[in-house]
Amino acid sequence: MDDSILVVNCGSSSLKLAIFDGNLENRATALAERLNTENATAKVHMGDQQPVPLPANADHHAALVTLIEHLRSAGVLQAAPRAIGHRVVHGGEDFTDAALITAEVIEAIDRCSALAPLHNPVNLVGIDAARTLFPEVPQVAVFDTAFHQSLPPKAFHYALPRRFYRDWGVRRYGFHGTSHQFMASEAARLLGQPVEQTSIISAHLGNGCSITAIRDGRSVDTSMGLTPLEGLVMGTRSGDIDPGLFDFLMGKGLSAKEVHRTLNQDSGLLGLSGETNDMRALGERAEAGHAGCQLAIDVFCFRLARYIGAMMASLDKLDALVFTGGIGENSAPVRAQTLSHLALMGFRLEPAANASHGRQNDQRISGADSRFPILVIPTNEELVIARSARDHGQRSG
C-alpha cells in the first residue's frame, strides 16, 4: 500500500478518477464518457493526455477496472492506495458528513436511490468495483447533500402536507455541497479570517448550477431542492417553474416521463436558445445577432441575480460573493451582466480584474467602491473528497 488517495466520481454515463499523493497534490486524472454505449471512450491525464481503449458498451465497472490497470502500468498507482473517496450524490438525512463505507452505509445509500435514481445506483456500482479491486483499503463516501444538512427547517421544508416529509422524506436537500464547502474554506483563507466566522454567497455555475448562502461556514439556504432540478436556470435543466406546468403539459398529451425528460434534458440554456447549452457558444452566437441565444443569456443572468438577492435574507453579514464552476470561473460577461442587476445592493465590478477572472488580483474582481468583495475561485471537489477520504480512512485504522 502506498501513500496515495484515489477519488472515484461516477456520473450517470461517466466516470472520473483522480489520484492524489500524501500531501494532497494531484498526480493524475482520468475520465471515461458515454458509458453503456458503443461509443464509450476514456482518457488519462498525467502531464499529457493519453487515450485509453474501452470495450464497446463498457459500463462503470469495466471502465474503472480498465483505467486502474492503465494507471498501474504507467507507474502512477504502483500499489493499493491508502484510502479511496467516492462521490455520492444523495445521502438524504442519513449523512451530515462523509462516512466510512460499511454494509450499513451501502444500505442507506441504496435507500436514497429513490431520491437520485440516475446517480446513486451508479455510485454504488463504483463503490462495489473499487471494493472488489481493493478489498483491504478504507473507502469513504462523500455526499453532495451532506454540507446542506445544516439548513434550518424554515429553509428546507416545502409548504406541503407534513406527512409528505414524515413518510417520504420530501424536503429540500441541496447539491454541489463539496463545491460550496470548498468555497467557504477558500474564501475564508483569501479574506484572512476563520471559516467559522465567514459568511458568503457561493454561486456554482456550470452545466448544473446552484447557489448557497453560507453563514459562519455552514450552509443555511441553497437553490436546489429535493432533486437537482430546482433553482437556477442550468445547461439543460429548467430550474424553477410553476408546478401547474405539469398538468398543463400532460393535458397537451405529454406523458409524465416526457415532461420529466423535457425539464431535465431539453430545457435551460438549450431550450431557451434552441441551439446549445454551451455558454461560450451562446455568447458568440448572441453577438452575431441570434435572438434565442441572447434570450438564454438574459434569463440565466437575471434569474441568478434574483437568487443572489434572495440568499441575502439568510445572512446577517456578507463577507464575499463568490463565483465558481465552469461558467462562474470563466465567463466575465455573465458575471458582469448578472451584477448589473444588483447595483442597488452595492455590488460593483472592476472591469479589468473581471476580464482576467481575478487571477492577477488575489481572485478579487470587485471595484474599490463595491459594498461587498466579489471573488472568483476555481472549485476543486476532488480535493475535498480526497481530504475526507484521508481523514476518515485514518480514523478507520
Side-chain angles (χ1 to χ4, degrees):
M1 184 177 296
D2 66 20
D3 206 34
S4 62
I5 307 290
L6 173 64
V7 172
V8 179
N9 182 351
C10 289
S12 57
S13 61
S14 66
L15 168 68
K16 297 178 183 178
L17 300 180
I19 298 176
F20 293 81
D21 64 21
N23 296 317
L24 296 184
E25 295 292 331
N26 187 271
R27 296 169 56 193
T29 60
L31 173 65
E33 298 180 286
R34 295 190 288 275
L35 297 176
N36 297 298
T37 74
E38 294 182 357
N39 300 314
T41 61
K43 55 191 175 185
V44 169
H45 293 268
M46 297 179 293
D48 59 350
Q49 181 175 304
Q50 304 174 10
V52 179
L54 285 180
N57 300 304
D59 59 10
H60 291 78
H61 189 286
L64 180 60
V65 170
T66 301
L67 288 171
I68 291 296
E69 289 177 351
H70 182 88
L71 292 166
R72 280 174 169 166
S73 65
V76 177
L77 195 63
Q78 297 180 357
R82 185 209 307 185
I84 301 175
H86 295 266
R87 178 199 178 209
V88 178
V89 167
H90 218 305
E93 291 185 318
D94 293 292
F95 300 99
T96 59
D97 195 1
L100 188 68
I101 293 174
T102 63
E104 292 75 20
V105 168
I106 289 174
E107 289 178 7
I109 294 171
D110 188 45
R111 287 195 302 271
C112 292
S113 291
L115 298 170
L118 296 179
H119 292 92
N120 273 34
V122 294
N123 297 156
L124 287 170
V125 170
I127 289 170
D128 179 69
R131 294 180 90 197
T132 299
L133 285 168
F134 303 107
E136 304 301 322
V137 175
Q139 309 213 19
V140 175
V142 181
F143 299 91
D144 276 12
T145 51
F147 182 63
H148 301 300
Q149 283 300 296
S150 54
L151 263 62
K154 65 184 178 183
F156 75 68
H157 273 290
Y158 289 114
L160 295 169
R162 290 194 65 189
R163 68 179 184 276
F164 291 4
Y165 170 63
R166 182 185 65 241
D167 297 342
W168 302 325
V170 175
R171 54 157 286 180
R172 303 182 66 251
Y173 289 98
F175 299 87
H176 294 144
T178 51
S179 180
H180 292 300
Q181 182 179 5
F182 185 72
M183 290 306 103
S185 62
E186 282 295 287
R189 182 183 66 81
L190 290 167
L191 295 168
Q193 58 195 53
V195 68
E196 298 82 6
Q197 298 174 18
T198 301
S199 296
I200 67 169
I201 294 173
S202 170
H204 177 107
L205 310 176
N207 193 48
C209 301
S210 66
I211 187 167
T212 296
I214 300 172
R215 186 172 64 218
D216 298 330
R218 292 165 59 84
S219 173
V220 291
D221 196 9
T222 193
S223 56
M224 285 180 168
L226 176 73
T227 76
L229 183 60
E230 185 180 352
L232 301 172
V233 173
M234 305 177 220
T236 63
R237 298 182 192 132
S238 65
D240 291 342
I241 58 162
D242 180 348
L245 180 65
F246 284 87
D247 281 344
F248 178 84
L249 292 177
M250 292 176 75
K252 296 295 183 181
L254 273 68
S255 67
K257 186 175 181 180
E258 288 171 327
V259 173
H260 180 270
R261 187 194 66 243
T262 297
L263 295 178
N264 279 280
Q265 299 177 19
D266 302 328
S267 299
L269 294 172
L270 176 62
L272 284 165
S273 70
E275 292 279 323
T276 179
N277 61 324
D278 184 285
M279 186 59 76
R280 291 164 297 187
L282 287 168
E284 292 169 358
R285 295 176 194 182
E287 286 185 7
H290 193 290
C293 292
Q294 186 62 61
L295 176 65
I297 296 170
D298 291 346
V299 173
F300 181 93
C301 294
F302 179 65
R303 289 273 291 274
L304 174 58
R306 284 174 57 189
Y307 257 101
I308 291 171
M311 288 295 150
M312 295 185 77
S314 294
L315 303 176
D316 51 15
K317 66 169 183 170
L318 180 62
D319 293 310
L321 169 64
V322 180
F323 289 94
T324 192
I327 296 173
E329 295 168 26
N330 299 304
S331 181
V334 164
R335 295 191 298 263
Q337 184 169 333
T338 298
L339 293 175
S340 72
H341 297 297
L342 297 170
L344 185 62
M345 293 183 177
F347 290 99
R348 301 285 191 276
L349 283 175
E350 204 292 302
N354 185 45
S356 65
H357 312 299
R359 290 168 189 152
Q360 285 79 47
N361 199 36
D362 292 329
Q363 309 303 136
R364 291 189 182 227
I365 60 171
S366 43
D369 59 342
S370 183
R371 184 181 174 192
F372 307 103
I374 308 166
L375 308 177
V376 177
I377 302 177
T379 193
N380 195 335
E381 295 172 90
E382 286 78 15
L383 177 60
V384 175
I385 296 171
R387 187 180 295 141
S388 294
R390 179 196 61 186
D391 295 345
H392 285 73
Q394 286 174 344
R395 292 174 204 166
S396 73

